[in-house]
């Protein structure tokens, strides 16, 4: 499963990355494998930065970027090994890196410690994140030390200054290219239908894990890698646990069910939340709360416009949610004071969204210092306000207790305004009730 069949995309990204590096080198690392327990492993999922720049799927790889060098793009990879490949699968190897992935030079990963010093000679700054792989840290710093004497004798720089590579790659990743948007659209398309299937399958007595299996099964059956993050299915009060992934309880008559799930398709993930009535119809109080969250979400989506501050959509959502909380007597006092004192956080304690792409919480900064960054065309973000009223909250009107609602869509910021990539997923009360018809 390659990130994209056409690797010219990766070549273009590397060219941009090398240009952004200027005179500085970078080392982008993929971990060895994902150990689960005893002798078993999770299915390998390439690190997002590495796959973004190379399209390389295999574990245990290092991509070295050396702007200005004769061989600017060097890969260290697991070599072909027929005996190992019988157990763990085919490898592209050194040959593949050269022939199919555009490496200017490629070596077995075992040669990294002995080659790194020479390859990094001349670069004073290295983009590398220490602390993630102790063995690699040791190899790298030993290689740099080995160059210290020759450098002192004859001149030439060796790395002495380190930057987090995520910063520069993140700046590239935060603006999506057309081919990335295609993949996000496909992830969104599969995910929207999976949510509709979940609404159809849920009913009193069905377990949260059964709904999860409908959603995750749909992702796989339609060519997805699976969920881009662990699927959340929370019935009733479980919806008030933001990262509830136990998914163990039966759904109960009269409760709402919150499903937060997104398909990962060729490394790109959607991120959708829908909240629907287990019995097929919202009760009066559920509907009142739902309409507040929905309006807050629609207003926040409208704020996802070129030139607006990233933070605006949160402020818009907070205002509408707080108005609703005051109106529904979840909060006492006025709207302004509840916003100012942040008392809305009792029922809305998370942010209103995040970048979306290869990672569900995608790369890219949100702030420049303390200034919220401006939205640009090509950015993709989620908009996901919610209201969460725990069952044991005695300050809340009884009718709302045990109700958690979040509505989340994936928005592409364009010159023409916000494009909702997940618009096909039922969302209004009428659409949701129609999808939930029992
Ligand atoms: N599914 C994780 C999130 O919504 O941020
Ligand atoms: Mn999200
Ligand atoms: Mn989500």
């Amino acid at each position: 499963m390659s990130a994209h069949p056409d690797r010219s995309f990766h070549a273009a990204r590397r060219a941009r990355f090398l240009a952004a590096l200027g005179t500085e080198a970078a080392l982008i690392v993929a971990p060895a494998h994902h150990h689960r327990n005893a002798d078993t492993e999770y299915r390998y999922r390439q690190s997002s930065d590495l796959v973004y720049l190379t399209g390389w799927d295999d574990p245990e790889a290092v991509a070295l970027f050396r702007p200005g060098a004769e061989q600017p793009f060097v890969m260290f990879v697991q070599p072909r090994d027929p005996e190992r490949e019988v157990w763990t699968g085919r490898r592209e190897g050194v040959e593949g890196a050269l022939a199919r992935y555009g490496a200017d030079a490629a070596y077995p990963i075992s040669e990294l410690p002995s080659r790194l010093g020479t390859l990094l000679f001349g670069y004073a700054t290295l983009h590398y994140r220490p602390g993630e792989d102790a063995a690699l840290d040791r190899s790298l710093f030993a290689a740099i030390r080995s160059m210290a004497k020759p450098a002192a004798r004859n001149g030439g720089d060796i790395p002495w200054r380190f930057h987090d590579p995520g910063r520069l790659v993140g700046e590239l990743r935060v603006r999506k290219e057309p081919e990335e948007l295609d993949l996000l659209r496909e992830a969104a398309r599969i995910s929207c239908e999976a949510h509709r299937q979940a609404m159809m399958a849920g009913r009193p007595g069905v377990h949260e894990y059964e709904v999860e299996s409908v959603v995750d099964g749909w992702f796989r059956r339609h060519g997805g890698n699976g969920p881009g993050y662990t699927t959340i299915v929370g019935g009733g009060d479980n919806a008030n646990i933001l990262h509830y992934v136990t998914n163990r309880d039966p759904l109960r008559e009269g409760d709402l069910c919150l499903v937060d799930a997104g398909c990962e398709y060729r490394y790109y993930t959607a991120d959708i939340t829908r909240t629907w009535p287990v019995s097929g119809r919202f009760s009066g109080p559920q509907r009142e709360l739902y309409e507040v969250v929905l309006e807050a979400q629609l207003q926040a989506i409208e704020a996802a416009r070129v030139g607006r501050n990233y933070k605006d959509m949160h402020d818009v959502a907070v205002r509408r949610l707080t108005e609703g909380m005051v109106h529904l007597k979840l909060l006492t006092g006025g709207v302004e004071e509840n916003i100012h004192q942040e008392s809305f956080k009792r029922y809305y304690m998370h942010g209103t969204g995040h970048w979306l792409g290869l990672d569900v919480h995608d790369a890219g900064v949100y702030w420049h210092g303390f200034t919220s960054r401006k939205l640009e065309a090509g950015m993709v973000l989620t908009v996901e306000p919610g209201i969460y009223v725990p069952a044991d909250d005695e300050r809340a009107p009884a009718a709302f207790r045990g109700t958690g609602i979040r509505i989340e869509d994936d928005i592409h910021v364009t010159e023409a305004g916000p494009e909702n990539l997940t618009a096909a997923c039922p969302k209004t009360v009428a659409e949701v009730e129609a999808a939930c018809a029992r």
Side-chain angles (χ1 to χ4, degrees), residues 322-379:
T322 307
E323 286 168 1
M325 290 174 200
V326 168
H327 179 71
L328 296 175
K329 303 204 166 18
L330 283 161
L331 298 176
T332 53
V335 171
E336 296 306 327
E337 62 180 283
N338 278 297
I339 292 175
H340 184 70
Q341 292 165 6
E342 299 193 328
S343 31
F344 63 85
K345 285 189 174 171
R346 194 192 308 162
Y347 300 114
Y348 181 49
M349 60 301 280
H350 59 74
T352 299
H354 47 81
W355 309 130
L356 183 72
L358 290 165
D359 293 311
V360 62
H361 294 176
D362 207 32
V365 297
Y366 297 90
W367 300 86
H368 293 132
F370 288 106
T371 307
S372 175
R373 84 181 292 168
K374 297 236 180 289
L375 296 180
E376 299 168 43
M379 290 176 163

Side-chain angles (χ1 to χ4, degrees), residues 229-230 232 242-243 260-262 270-273 350 353-354 360-361 382 384 406 408:
Y229 52 91
T230 307
I232 295 168
L242 295 179
H243 291 164
D260 184 345
D271 181 8
I272 303 178
T273 307
H350 59 74
H354 47 81
V360 62
H361 294 176
T382 68
E384 49 178 307
R406 179 165 64 252
E408 175 174 31

Side-chain angles (χ1 to χ4, degrees), residues 21-227:
L21 283 169
T23 59
E24 304 172 348
L27 210 53
I28 307 289
V29 179
H33 61 271
H34 305 315
H35 180 250
R36 185 175 186 274
N37 62 309
D39 278 347
T40 65
E41 292 172 11
Y42 289 106
R43 179 166 42 221
Y44 191 74
R45 199 277 189 187
Q46 187 53 275
S47 92
S48 295
D49 280 349
L50 192 102
V51 84
Y52 178 81
L53 291 166
T54 67
W56 187 260
D57 294 316
D58 292 351
E60 205 178 9
V62 171
L64 173 57
F65 295 89
R66 307 187 308 145
E70 212 165 289
Q71 297 178 326
F73 171 38
V74 180
M75 288 191 79
F76 290 89
V77 302
Q78 290 182 332
R80 296 293 314 274
D81 179 344
E83 231 169 88
R84 288 302 313 155
E85 288 178 53
V86 167
W87 292 88
T88 55
R90 297 180 193 90
R91 294 177 177 181
E92 285 283 359
V94 170
E95 301 86 336
L98 292 168
R100 288 182 289 281
Y101 290 82
D104 301 308
Y107 307 102
I109 189 87
S110 59
E111 295 181 17
L112 183 104
S114 61
R115 291 188 181 274
L116 213 44
T118 314
L119 287 166
L120 287 173
F121 189 76
Y123 294 94
T125 301
L126 179 63
H127 294 244
Y128 174 74
R129 191 179 294 144
E132 298 204 330
D133 179 336
L136 183 56
D137 285 353
R138 274 196 300 278
S139 299
L140 171 65
F141 291 109
I144 292 171
R145 269 198 309 280
S146 75
M147 303 308 288
K149 268 209 181 115
R153 236 185 340 260
N154 307 317
D157 278 317
I158 58 171
W160 59 271
R161 198 191 293 122
F162 294 85
H163 289 317
D164 188 324
R167 201 67 184 213
L168 274 191
V169 187
E171 268 316 286
L172 297 178
R173 284 174 51 187
V174 80
R175 296 175 199 84
K176 269 62 182 179
E177 302 153 25
E179 52 276 11
E180 296 184 279
L181 289 164
D182 287 347
L183 298 176
L184 278 166
R185 282 199 179 87
E186 183 59 9
R189 192 186 65 78
I190 297 169
S191 304
C192 285
E193 191 49 36
H195 276 267
R196 186 188 296 278
Q197 296 291 324
M199 291 176 197
M200 283 162 56
R203 60 192 69 245
V206 168
H207 290 78
E208 292 163 343
Y209 54 76
E210 295 176 77
V211 176
E212 175 186 355
S213 80
V214 168
V215 169
D216 290 8
W218 190 268
F219 295 163
R220 285 299 276 161
R221 281 208 299 288
H222 293 82
N225 188 44

